[in-house]
Amino acid sequence: MSASTAWTPILQPLASFSPDLATRLDSSFQSLRKMTMTRRTTQVWETELRENLSGSDYVDIGLWLSKSTAMDTSILPLDTIVQAFLDVHLLSHYQQRSSALRVLADIQKQIDNLKFGSNGVQQHQHNLLEDLTEVFSDEEEDEDEDYMSTPLNHDLSPPSSEPHSPEHKRQRISNSQDDRDVSELELSPSSFEEFDGLPIVARNKSKWNKLLRSKPSYWSKKCDSWAKSLQIAFNHRMENTTEDHQQYYQSVVNVLREMRQVLPSIFHDEAWKTAVKTSNLHKIIYLWSDPSGLIIWKSGFMQILMRKHRIHEALGVVLFSWIPQEVTNTWAEQDFFEIFPFQTSGIKIKKSKDFIKALSKNPDIIPRKAYPSSIFFLLSLENFELALEQWLICGMENLGYNVSFFKAKAERKQIYDNIWPHLDQMVPSFFEQLESSLRVIIERSASFRKLKNEPAKHILQNKATLNATCKKCSNLAPEYRCVQKIEVTPQLLEKTYLGCGVSLAEPKDQMEPIPIPHSKPGSKDIQQIMHPDRLNLVKHQWNDKILNNCGMQLFLIVKKGTEEILDFWIYNAFSDDIFKKLVSHHSRLQHVKALTRGSQFNSYSQGKMIPKGARLPMGGAPGDSYAFYTGMDAVTQAELEALFDDAEDSMILSEAGRLILFNVYKELEDTTANGDRLGISGANTYYCNNYTSPLHRDDDAGAGLCAQYDLQAKSDLCEYSFTYADYRIYLVSRSNSLWSFRGSDTHGTMLPSTIPLTEKDRTIARQGGQPDGDGVPPRVSNGTHKPATKTNTEAANKHHRARKTRKEIHDYWQGQE
């Protein structure tokens, strides 16, 4: 059930709040009507109107929006309020009243989510011309979207006045569809030029495709239009000037968005294939997917297209998806180093010192702005080879270097391995003379490689290998040994329990469920809180004597009757120094928007989960593609440091997991092998702050790792413990813990109670960064989660496949008749 408001929004007249602003708005529309209706003209209109808004205007706009939605909009960001104001009035001006009301309804949903938490996928700001576009799918034809169509030559005079429903009785929103079918649209385009000018807005894919499907004569023209737009923008790729190239950026994003909207029923048609070939669309996309682009395309708009939209691969992903699977399945991925035409002239790079010298002279060769994860190219041989393939070889050759020595695997390894001994013998003045960003990258890469050995030292402090006898406890009774087994019989928990909370607290002390807006008392949508005994969950926890004696305690979760280890849980997982580093990194998170979870989390999800890494957004900005989250940039020194912090955290979890249960580590790394590197891993990490969840299952592609950093809670109620519901056990959580689990299994956290903490519950020393309220210690539960999410994994694989088969994609379309 999605969060939604119970009341239909009412579009209030602006003049009632600000006659002056209403007059200026009408004047702007008069100017707009003198121009042809295009994306560009509406963008210019919006920009000019924004620039003329004053502080008092913002107050009036906020009052108008609050009245129109019957909700307090002051909790929304100012830009969201202003954007809604612009969208609503532009839609209303062109007589798209139902679309305008949907914008207001979206605002109501956003407010509900901020107050109560989201019960569905992420909610985003609705923007008329830069709204959400759904994740491209080559399997499903989604017919659930609507759109606003505005003809170019139709009389667009707004009505002189609009009646409004009386305020005293607002009606509930109806789910009925009041938009007319495309064939019945009074304002349907009468020419290709009008169709080509239609902007794609929210919920429009169905109708836009119906228009396209009904006009095969438009297909060649549409492909021609895309090819021309891409060619024009491509011609300006090298212009590193301050000139405003917004129109090129926007035109390319529009092409990407429209290409993604084409449904299988169209792109499987032979006439469509002919249209692609005759337009030479495949040829210009081949140029856009040139791997040298990351390095040599200096135009600002190109940098943004590659950073935000991964445009050098995204267009190829679409073309690939239009090719029958029986064709693409026959394509074998070729080794880049075997097929790349290395140039044999120029300054030779044969040794590590040659490479470092070239790098120090050309620090801008690292495409930090366009591709943030490029800064990790020195962390491992695998990262180094990936960088050579994706950008480093092209960059070196463009600077006049001969890098043919990199062709052979043995030589590549030799150069990489010798980088570090070479740097170790360099005098301090060498590093002082390096460009500041390159110095950070080299120094943090060196410290990263040293840190990689630390997790094993702690876990193996009393033994040579994990399976070896512990020096401290080998002579003790089994219950006092630091490695123990928990036998389980996996059985999928009944689906009816999904969404239920789990707690040891008495009913009077249990947390209240998050209200689902407008649900009735006793609604079945509100799941109950279950005592662990009702689910036959068996408790397991650490033993202080073992921790004091051995320094750690490891539980191996084993399938009963076999030696198969399913998962693990380790207490005191990290040394004091490593643990302090993890906590320090967690405390200074960079600004990345927290995740919003789905309907399983309706009633008992709390706290935040902040993602790090690359993702394919559920919605997002226009034309968003698989790329690092917004906020994870690599331009400033602070941003570089933050990314290396994230990389270290990810690596520490993996290295500890690798030592304890290699098959879980390998599954996670293999599943995410094609993902953008967050350090040396293609998996994302999620930083959790006081995060709780009910029993649920995630749509993950494989195993994952989770770490508990600081924990301060009611220990007698086992708050924030982790529930392996399908194993029928729960592990009591403790600061400095690490465990594995599969997100597709049923799991959750033990919910906190409403009982205030006391001094006996304090596990974190009182300090300035942890203020107490009225002397009561606050609840604290921080940690990190590292899963293999299916959506991101599939997106990464698609980009990898399109990059590896760039030539095959081009040749396929070239051969179409």
Side-chain angles (χ1 to χ4, degrees):
M1 177 178 175
S2 298
S4 61
T5 183
W7 306 116
T8 302
I10 294 177
L11 184 55
Q12 299 289 339
L14 181 62
S16 300
F17 300 86
S18 176
D20 174 64
L21 181 56
T23 299
R24 283 184 282 141
L25 183 64
D26 289 339
S27 177
S28 72
F29 283 136
Q30 291 176 14
S31 299
L32 180 60
R33 289 175 59 198
K34 296 176 182 178
M35 298 182 285
T36 302
M37 175 64 176
T38 66
R39 298 182 183 93
R40 180 62 179 163
T41 55
T42 53
Q43 289 163 4
V44 171
W45 167 81
E46 177 180 311
T47 299
E48 291 179 349
L49 193 57
R50 276 180 176 273
E51 290 175 349
N52 291 323
L53 293 177
S54 64
S56 60
D57 291 331
Y58 295 138
V59 174
D60 294 331
I61 290 171
L63 293 173
W64 164 83
L65 188 59
S66 292
K67 193 71 171 178
S68 295
T69 57
M71 301 184 80
D72 179 12
T73 60
S74 63
I75 63 175
L76 295 172
L78 178 60
D79 188 67
T80 300
I81 295 173
V82 174
Q83 191 65 60
F85 162 76
L86 294 169
D87 290 349
V88 166
H89 284 92
L90 184 60
L91 288 161
S92 298
H93 177 76
Y94 288 125
Q95 304 181 51
Q96 300 291 326
R97 180 176 174 81
S98 61
S99 295
L101 291 175
R102 279 199 297 272
V103 175
L104 294 175
D106 284 344
I107 290 294
Q108 292 175 320
K109 289 179 181 179
Q110 290 186 51
I111 296 172
D112 273 342
N113 291 341
L114 289 172
K115 288 183 176 180
F116 307 117
S118 173
N119 303 310
V121 299
Q122 275 185 283
Q123 300 294 328
H124 297 271
Q125 170 179 316
H126 175 90
N127 183 316
L128 177 63
L129 294 172
E130 297 186 355
D131 49 9
L132 304 183
T133 183
E134 288 194 351
V135 175
F136 175 81
S137 171
D138 55 1
E139 298 177 353
E140 298 180 353
E141 296 199 14
D142 189 346
E143 297 291 340
D144 294 334
E145 299 188 8
D146 308 311
Y147 81 121
M148 180 200 82
S149 62
T150 305
L152 302 184
N153 301 317
H154 190 83
D155 181 9
L156 296 177
S157 302
S160 57
S161 63
E162 286 189 292
H164 296 280
S165 302
E167 291 188 51
H168 65 275
K169 187 174 182 180
R170 293 173 178 259
Q171 297 179 344
R172 289 186 176 271
I173 285 180
S174 170
N175 291 326
S176 64
Q177 192 62 261
D178 62 353
D179 291 342
R180 291 165 288 182
D181 188 82
V182 172
S183 61
E184 301 174 347
L185 280 176
E186 178 184 340
L187 304 180
S188 60
S190 59
S191 68
F192 171 74
E193 288 70 27
E194 292 185 6
F195 172 73
D196 198 37
L198 291 178
I200 290 186
V201 296
R203 297 175 294 274
N204 80 328
K205 182 164 65 174
S206 173
K207 293 183 178 180
W208 186 87
N209 269 283
K210 287 179 181 178
L211 280 169
L212 185 62
R213 187 184 302 150
S214 67
K215 299 285 187 179
S217 61
Y218 287 0
W219 293 359
S220 291
K221 295 178 181 179
K222 193 62 182 174
C223 290
D224 279 335
S225 174
W226 288 337
K228 289 176 182 176
S229 293
L230 292 176
Q231 183 66 64
I232 291 172
F234 189 77
N235 292 341
H236 295 273
R237 67 194 182 282
M238 304 295 292
E239 298 174 359
N240 188 15
T241 68
T242 57
E243 182 181 347
D244 180 14
H245 287 154
Q246 174 65 24
Q247 68 269 29
Y248 305 132
Y249 166 80
Q250 190 62 52
S251 67
V252 174
V253 172
N254 290 337
V255 168
L256 177 61
R257 297 180 70 198
E258 290 181 352
M259 287 180 63
R260 284 174 168 173
Q261 302 307 307
V262 180
L263 296 179
S265 57
I266 296 176
F267 64 67
H268 285 325
D269 195 297
E270 290 300 320
W272 181 262
K273 296 179 182 179
T274 301
V276 173
K277 173 182 170 58
T278 57
S279 68
N280 288 323
L281 180 62
H282 62 294
K283 291 185 177 180
I284 184 60
I285 289 179
Y286 183 76
L287 296 178
W288 273 87
S289 57
D290 186 342
S292 67
L294 278 170
I295 299 297
I296 66 176
W297 297 345
K298 299 300 184 182
S299 179
F301 81 92
M302 292 296 288
Q303 297 282 307
I304 297 173
L305 282 170
M306 290 185 288
R307 163 64 181 96
K308 185 176 180 182
H309 306 282
R310 209 182 182 99
I311 200 67
H312 53 293
E313 295 172 2
L315 293 167
V317 169
V318 180
L319 269 192
F320 181 95
S321 71
W322 291 354
I323 301 174
Q325 192 171 357
E326 59 266 25
V327 174
T328 59
N329 284 345
T330 65
W331 295 350
E333 293 184 7
Q334 294 179 292
D335 187 319
F336 168 85
F337 298 99
E338 293 181 1
I339 63 174
F340 184 81
F342 287 91
Q343 65 184 30
T344 56
S345 61
I347 306 170
K348 292 183 178 181
I349 303 291
K350 297 184 66 175
K351 297 182 178 180
S352 301
K353 66 177 183 179
D354 302 329
F355 175 73
I356 294 298
K357 183 178 180 180
L359 190 62
S360 61
K361 287 184 176 180
N362 304 278
D364 289 340
I365 195 175
I366 307 172
R368 295 180 291 118
K369 183 175 182 181
Y371 192 35
S373 66
S374 62
I375 67 172
F376 300 131
F377 74 108
L378 292 176
L379 296 186
S380 68
L381 176 61
E382 292 76 14
N383 280 24
F384 187 64
E385 291 182 321
L386 188 61
L388 288 171
E389 176 181 340
Q390 290 187 327
W391 54 270
L392 190 49
I393 283 178
C394 291
M396 286 287 188
E397 288 195 343
N398 184 62
L399 293 169
Y401 290 96
N402 176 355
V403 291
S404 58
F405 198 69
F406 286 115
K407 183 177 180 67
K409 174 78 173 181
E411 279 73 15
R412 294 196 300 273
K413 185 176 187 304
Q414 179 184 9
I415 289 178
Y416 177 77
D417 287 344
N418 289 334
I419 286 175
W420 308 105
H422 174 71
L423 289 174
D424 286 342
Q425 64 184 4
M426 300 301 289
V427 297
S429 60
F430 168 80
F431 295 96
E432 293 171 0
Q433 294 170 7
L434 289 176
E435 187 270 336
S436 59
S437 296
L438 179 59
R439 183 171 63 252
V440 171
I441 291 171
I442 290 178
E443 291 177 347
R444 289 299 300 263
S445 297
S447 63
F448 179 98
R449 287 170 51 82
K450 294 176 182 178
L451 182 65
K452 192 169 183 286
N453 300 318
E454 295 304 313
K457 293 179 181 179
H458 173 73
I459 295 173
L460 300 178
Q461 56 186 297
N462 300 316
K463 56 182 72 176
T465 67
L466 191 70
N467 295 325
T469 301
C470 176
K471 300 175 183 178
K472 296 290 187 73
C473 63
S474 59
N475 296 324
L476 300 179
E479 63 267 26
Y480 292 107
R481 293 176 186 170
C482 60
V483 178
Q484 300 181 17
K485 293 181 180 180
I486 301 174
E487 291 190 335
V488 298
T489 302
Q491 183 179 2
L492 191 67
L493 190 71
E494 292 87 341
K495 191 175 181 180
T496 54
Y497 292 118
L498 295 181
C500 289
V502 181
S503 175
L504 285 167
E506 296 291 332
K508 65 181 179 61
D509 298 321
Q510 291 174 355
M511 62 181 288
E512 290 291 328
I514 300 171
I516 299 176
H518 322 301
S519 59
K520 297 178 180 179
S523 169
K524 294 181 180 180
D525 292 324
I526 300 178
Q527 298 282 27
Q528 59 182 313
I529 293 179
M530 313 285 288
H531 191 282
D533 292 346
R534 290 188 59 186
L535 299 172
N536 297 317
L537 301 179
V538 179
K539 174 182 175 181
H540 296 272
Q541 71 176 77
W542 74 93
N543 185 312
D544 284 327
K545 292 183 179 180
I546 295 176
L547 293 182
N548 292 332
N549 183 47
C550 300
M552 50 80 75
Q553 182 176 0
L554 172 63
F555 285 110
L556 299 176
I557 303 174
V558 180
K559 187 175 182 179
K560 191 173 184 178
T562 73
E563 293 298 316
E564 180 185 358
I565 303 174
L566 302 173
D567 285 298
F568 72 86
W569 186 294
I570 181 172
Y571 293 105
N572 276 16
F574 311 108
S575 67
D576 289 344
D577 289 342
I578 294 292
F579 183 65
K580 289 177 182 177
K581 180 184 288 287
L582 292 169
V583 172
S584 175
H585 291 174
H586 192 284
S587 67
R588 57 175 188 261
L589 293 177
Q590 60 203 92
H591 298 292
V592 177
K593 185 177 180 180
L595 288 182
T596 304
R597 306 306 302 272
S599 59
Q600 296 179 94
F601 299 79
N602 277 355
S603 301
Y604 301 108
S605 180
Q606 289 188 345
K608 293 181 179 180
M609 186 178 280
I610 301 171
K612 297 299 183 74
R615 89 292 183 239
L616 183 65
M618 296 293 289
D624 257 359
S625 299
Y626 176 75
F628 264 25
Y629 279 94
T630 300
M632 295 188 66
D633 297 311
V635 178
T636 68
Q637 182 170 332
E639 289 168 343
L640 292 172
E641 297 282 4
L643 286 180
F644 274 101
D645 286 352
D646 298 338
E648 289 181 350
D649 295 348
S650 173
M651 176 271 292
I652 290 169
L653 264 63
S654 286
E655 282 302 297
R658 179 184 64 82
L659 190 66
I660 297 170
L661 192 54
F662 182 77
N663 66 313
V664 165
Y665 161 83
K666 189 174 188 304
E667 181 181 349
L668 176 59
E669 295 304 308
D670 288 350
T671 303
T672 61
N674 294 329
D676 259 10
R677 294 291 194 269
L678 182 63
I680 55 176
S681 174
N684 288 357
T685 56
Y686 298 82
Y687 290 78
C688 305
N689 291 299
N690 286 4
Y691 181 77
T692 66
S693 68
L695 296 173
H696 68 284
R697 300 176 192 135
D698 295 314
D699 191 20
D700 286 355
L705 298 168
C706 206
Q708 176 80 62
Y709 299 158
D710 286 328
L711 178 63
Q712 183 166 273
K714 279 288 181 185
S715 58
D716 56 326
L717 296 178
C718 304
E719 294 180 346
Y720 299 101
S721 295
F722 187 82
T723 301
Y724 292 93
D726 293 342
Y727 297 164
R728 302 303 192 272
I729 62 174
Y730 68 95
L731 274 293
V732 181
S733 197
R734 186 180 191 273
S735 295
N736 197 358
S737 297
L738 175 72
W739 64 97
S740 70
F741 74 100
R742 284 164 175 76
S744 55
D745 292 344
T746 315
H747 61 282
T749 52
M750 199 77 75
L751 301 178
S753 67
T754 60
I755 303 172
L757 302 189
T758 64
E759 279 302 316
K760 74 173 185 177
D761 300 309
R762 186 184 293 281
T763 59
I764 306 172
R766 188 194 303 266
Q767 54 187 333
Q770 189 206 10
D772 290 352
D774 299 325
V776 178
R779 279 179 169 82
V780 177
S781 177
N782 295 329
T784 303
H785 177 34
K786 186 175 180 179
T789 58
K790 185 175 292 186
T791 299
N792 293 333
T793 298
E794 291 176 350
N797 291 340
K798 287 183 179 181
H799 278 263
H800 171 84
R801 188 84 164 120
R803 184 175 67 249
K804 286 287 191 178
T805 59
R806 174 180 177 242
K807 184 177 184 299
E808 287 81 356
I809 294 171
H810 170 272
D811 292 349
Y812 170 84
W813 290 105
Q814 183 65 21
Q816 291 300 305
E817 297 297 337

